[in-house]
Structures are given as C-alpha cells and as structure tokens.
Amino acid sequence: MSTTEDIKKGLAGVVVDYTAVSKVNPETNSLLYRGYPVQDLAASKSFEEVALLLWTGELPSESELTEFSAFERANRALDPRVKAAIDLLPTDCHPMDVGRTAVSVIGANHAEAENSSPEAELRKAKELFAAFPAVVAYDQRRRRGQELVAPREDLDYSSNFLWMSFGEEAAPEVVDAFRVSMVLYAEHSFNASTFTARVITSTLSDLHSAVTGAIGALKGPLHGGANEAVMHTFDEIGIDKNESRKDAAVRAKAWMEDALAQKKKVMGFGHRVYKHGDSRVPTMKAALDKMIEHYGRSEMLGLYDGLESAMDEAKAIKPNLDYPAGPTYHLMGFDTEMFTPIFIAARITGWTAHIFEQRASNALIRPLSAYNGPEQRAL
Ligand SMILES: CC(=O)SCCNC(=O)CCNC(=O)[C@H](O)C(C)(C)COP(=O)(O)OP(=O)(O)OC[C@H]1O[C@@H](n2cnc3c(N)ncnc32)[C@H](O)[C@@H]1OP(=O)(O)O
Ligand SMILES: O=C([O-])CC(=O)C(=O)O
C-alpha cells in the first residue's frame, strides 16, 4: 500500500535510469554531451558534428562528417507526400501540430518503419534530421502565402534552414547564432519530451511514433512552448524599435512586477533541475547580444534586462534557455509560433539518441499509482 510520502508528484527528484547521452549538473551549472561541455561544442562545432556525437558517442572523423554531410544534403527536400499532408492542415492550426503530423506521415510511409535494428534506427534518425527543416520552413511560408523554397546543397544545415525559411541567404552572423541555438537545444537528459520518447520506445513501438509523441510533450508552455510564450510576453509589453534601451527596461520591469503581484507564472524563467541558472543561457544570451547588435535593436536588450532583473529581485528565479532563444528567433525574422518547431529540429538529435539507448537496454516504463477513488462498492 503506497503512502503519501511514496508519491513523487511530477517524478521530481526521481532517478529513473542511467543515460550516457548527456549529464546535467545543477551543482556545477554544467551540461555535458557525451562528456563534452556544451559551451565548447557551441563555440566550435557544427550542428551536424554534434548530432553525430549524440548518436554515436564520439565526434566524427573528417571522412565520417563528409559522408554524413553529403547524406544530409541529399535528404533535405520536402517529400511530396508530406507536403500534401501539410497542405490539408489549416494555416491557423498550431505549427507544432504540423510538425507532429509530418513526422507521423514520414513514419507511415517509411519502408523500414518497423525495423528497429540499430542500423535502421540510425538511418531513420539521420533522415529525420535532414528532412525536418523543410517542414518548418514550408509551414512558415505557406502561412505567409509564400511558395515552397527548394533546399540548396551548397549550404550547410543552418544556412540552408534559413535559406528555405526566408528565400534569401542569411548573413554569416545570423547563421552562426542559429547554429549555436541548435547545438544548445539538441539534448537535455530526461526532460519531459525525451522521457515521453523513452516511454513510447519502452513498449517496443517504432522510432517515428516515439518522436511524434515527444513533439506533443514539447509543445506545452511548461516545456518547449516557452520560447514562443516568451515572445508573447515581449509583445504584451510592447516592442517599439525607436525606444531607448533604458525606457524599454523600465516598462519591462513594471510589467514583471505587476505579473508577479498577480501570481502569474512567467514563461522562460525557472527550471525543474537548475535552480541557480540554466547552463546554456550565457551562451545563448551571447548569441542574442550579437543579433541585437547585428539588427541594431537595443530596445530588445532593455526588455530582456528589465524582465530578468525584476524576476531576480522579486523571486531570484533565473531565465532558462527559452528566454534568450525566443527573441533571437524573432530578430532573425521567424514568426513566433515557429519557435517551438525549430526546437523540434534541434531535439530530434537528443530524442533519437535516447531512443537508441532505451532500445539497447530496455525495460517497460510503467510506474505505480496510489488509488484515491471510492472504496469498492456494489453496482
Ligand atoms: C527548454 C525548457 O523546457 S526549459 C523550461 C521552460 N518552461 C518555462 O519557462 C515555464 C515557466 N517555468 C515553470 O513553469 C517552472 O519553473 C518549471 C515548470 C519549468 C519548473 O518548475 P518546478 O520545478 O516544477 O517548480 P514549480 O513550478 O513548482 O515552482 C516552484 C516555485 O517557483 C515559482 N516559479 C517557478 N517558475 C516560475 C516562473 N516562471 N514564474 C513565476 N514563478 C515561478 C512557482 O510559482 C513556485 O512558487 P511557490 O513555491 O511559491 O508556489
Ligand atoms: O530539462 C528540462 O526539463 C527542460 C529543458 O531544459 C530541456 O529540455 O532542454
């Protein structure tokens, strides 16, 4: 018989299994992917290299990277069956629903859908990695009444993502900030969406089902949906390109004080594991700073600082990765509701690495519950 003390609501503090994919250490405020500090990877590695690291456990050799890069470039085009499925969806549904549907359609059409050998799983992960940017880019464009832009094989992953989204080549600084965001968003141990992917895999279901379920978990504002919600906060405060940094900070501070007085939860702040700051925020904030400088938008910094300092003073709650990522994607020109689908594109790497790990050492994930309904009664 379970007692109230046995119940760990939200599985908070519960260690469920081992993982060798990443280590989140709130004491040292650090995050390692396969042993490498994420800041170091973000400083010098392409997202393609980081993906291979997460999947295989090691950084690729030059020839392994060249081979994967060629594969990735050859598998970027939007599959006409996926495009047809997207075109059936309303342009006012949430883009996360489009992402979720697209992965499901890719899985249903996959010749190796039910093959869960390690080789087939890795192939499917690489294909999804290559194919997903076109889903995000096309969905944003169709909502804007624009045509699909074909991928370009002469561009790397990040440059091509931006090319397909906007139909023009992005400046090198913008490509780099985007790459950094992808590296930082790639993996974070047993977060809610990754855990969902592992639960689905634990039933011996297929990879695309696990990723589809993970997307559903990522959508919520307590998880990935927070990067979109951050931008709604900025919009609610009001963005005025001509405002000074100082004035914007004053208004943002007042907004936060009012929100906290009303006991509101402000998205982009707080974390289940990190209680003294998210290890990824300084790197992402540096990327945001570069975008603010690139686009000449110092008022955005005012809004950012004003909210952050007011939250710190009132509750000492620190920003999480979604806080600097939201305004970064906004400055790059993405529509707000596309921010979490971009997160999918990054997290496909971490999810699939965990799917491989779960499959290699599987136990059905099935916790217990303590019943608190009516006692047995007669009909
Ligand atoms: C990439 C990612 O997924 S990162 C996470 C993105 N999510 C968000 O940004 C959503 C906003 N943040 C939150 O809701 C929470 O901080 C979570 C869900 C991320 C983590 O929460 P938990 O560890 O479960 O802590 P919990 O929600 O119980 O909060 C503890 C206390 O801090 C407060 N708190 C936590 N986050 C916030 C916040 N963002 N705004 C205001 N108060 C907050 C809670 O109200 C609570 O206060 P109380 O004890 O007075 O009731
Ligand atoms: O770890 C978590 O709970 C959420 C998070 O930061 C992530 O998934 O990147």
Side-chain angles (χ1 to χ4, degrees):
M1 170 81 181
S2 302
T3 65
T4 324
E5 296 81 62
D6 293 330
I7 294 168
K8 305 286 183 216
K9 199 95 167 138
L11 296 181
V14 176
V15 179
V16 171
D17 204 345
Y18 290 101
T19 181
V21 183
S22 71
K23 180 176 180 181
V24 179
N25 190 337
E27 275 80 47
T28 54
N29 195 16
S30 70
L31 170 61
L32 308 178
Y33 290 175
R34 303 281 189 187
Y36 296 108
V38 73
Q39 296 85 342
D40 295 353
L41 294 168
S44 61
K45 298 293 171 197
S46 67
F47 183 43
E48 295 88 317
E49 285 169 289
V50 171
L52 285 170
L53 170 70
L54 291 170
W55 289 324
T56 67
E58 296 299 337
L59 282 164
S61 65
E62 224 175 285
S63 64
E64 285 165 340
L65 181 60
T66 305
E67 192 188 321
F68 175 52
S69 190
F71 176 91
E72 190 269 313
R73 287 166 200 241
N75 283 278
R76 285 173 174 171
L78 190 61
D79 181 329
R81 293 166 297 190
V82 178
K83 181 174 182 298
I86 293 176
D87 287 338
L88 286 174
L89 300 175
T91 49
D92 60 357
C93 74
H94 198 285
M96 288 297 279
D97 300 353
V98 172
R100 195 187 60 222
T101 303
V103 173
S104 196
V105 171
I106 291 169
N109 284 291
H110 205 288
E112 293 190 298
E114 307 305 327
N115 181 351
S116 55
S117 68
E119 299 75 25
E121 295 274 271
L122 182 56
R123 253 192 316 277
K124 287 187 272 185
K126 287 178 176 174
E127 283 166 9
L128 258 190
F129 175 94
F132 201 75
V135 172
V136 181
Y138 175 57
D139 192 29
Q140 172 166 279
R141 294 187 68 79
R142 77 185 185 111
R143 285 163 198 269
R144 293 177 171 191
Q146 297 168 335
E147 294 297 316
L148 172 73
V149 170
R152 279 198 19 207
E153 287 201 25
D154 60 320
L155 299 176
D156 73 1
Y157 176 98
S158 298
S159 312
N160 179 62
F161 200 133
L162 294 161
W163 162 256
M164 286 193 294
S165 300
F166 302 111
E168 53 191 52
E169 270 188 58
E173 302 90 309
V174 177
V175 173
D176 201 54
F178 189 78
R179 177 195 61 78
V180 167
S181 78
M182 299 306 278
V183 170
L184 297 176
Y185 264 140
E187 160 58 14
H188 212 242
S189 75
F190 279 31
N191 59 82
S193 56
T194 301
F195 190 60
T196 301
R198 291 190 74 126
V199 170
I200 294 172
T201 306
S202 84
T203 70
L204 303 184
S205 184
D206 66 286
L207 180 140
H208 291 97
S209 293
V211 173
T212 302
I215 293 173
L218 189 72
K219 181 182 178 187
L222 294 190
H223 189 15
N227 61 7
E228 170 183 343
V230 167
M231 213 53 230
H232 292 313
T233 299
F234 276 51
D235 285 336
E236 201 182 311
I237 298 166
I239 302 172
D240 174 0
K241 288 181 187 176
N242 299 316
E243 192 175 30
S244 73
R245 176 178 171 182
K246 198 165 155 227
D247 289 351
V250 170
R251 285 195 308 109
K253 208 160 185 275
W255 183 95
M256 180 64 95
E257 284 161 4
D258 187 48
L260 295 179
Q262 292 179 52
K263 305 249 173 283
K264 280 191 187 159
K265 255 200 172 175
V266 183
M267 301 301 147
F269 289 88
H271 199 276
R272 172 59 69 76
V273 183
Y274 300 116
K275 296 299 175 195
H276 312 291
D278 182 325
S279 61
R280 303 161 291 183
V281 165
T283 314
M284 194 62 226
K285 174 61 173 27
L288 170 61
D289 286 343
K290 284 185 190 151
M291 289 303 91
I292 284 172
E293 202 188 323
H294 178 78
Y295 292 105
R297 296 286 300 277
S298 63
E299 92 287 355
M300 292 290 282
L301 204 50
L303 296 175
Y304 186 99
D305 291 343
L307 289 174
E308 184 183 14
S309 64
M311 178 62 105
D312 198 36
E313 278 165 30
K315 301 192 80 159
I317 297 176
K318 310 291 179 201
N320 57 55
L321 176 58
D322 288 324
Y323 188 57
T328 302
Y329 293 144
H330 171 81
L331 287 171
M332 288 172 177
F334 284 104
D335 294 334
T336 301
E337 66 274 20
M338 305 314 299
F339 298 178
T340 320
I342 297 170
F343 190 163
I344 299 178
R347 191 55 63 89
I348 278 172
T349 56
W351 288 332
T352 47
H354 280 274
I355 291 169
F356 304 163
E357 192 176 62
Q358 180 69 36
R359 221 184 272 298
S361 171
N362 194 45
L364 175 72
I365 299 173
R366 198 293 185 199
L368 294 177
S369 53
Y371 179 70
N372 65 356
E375 291 301 322
Q376 182 170 334
R377 47 186 163 166
L379 278 174

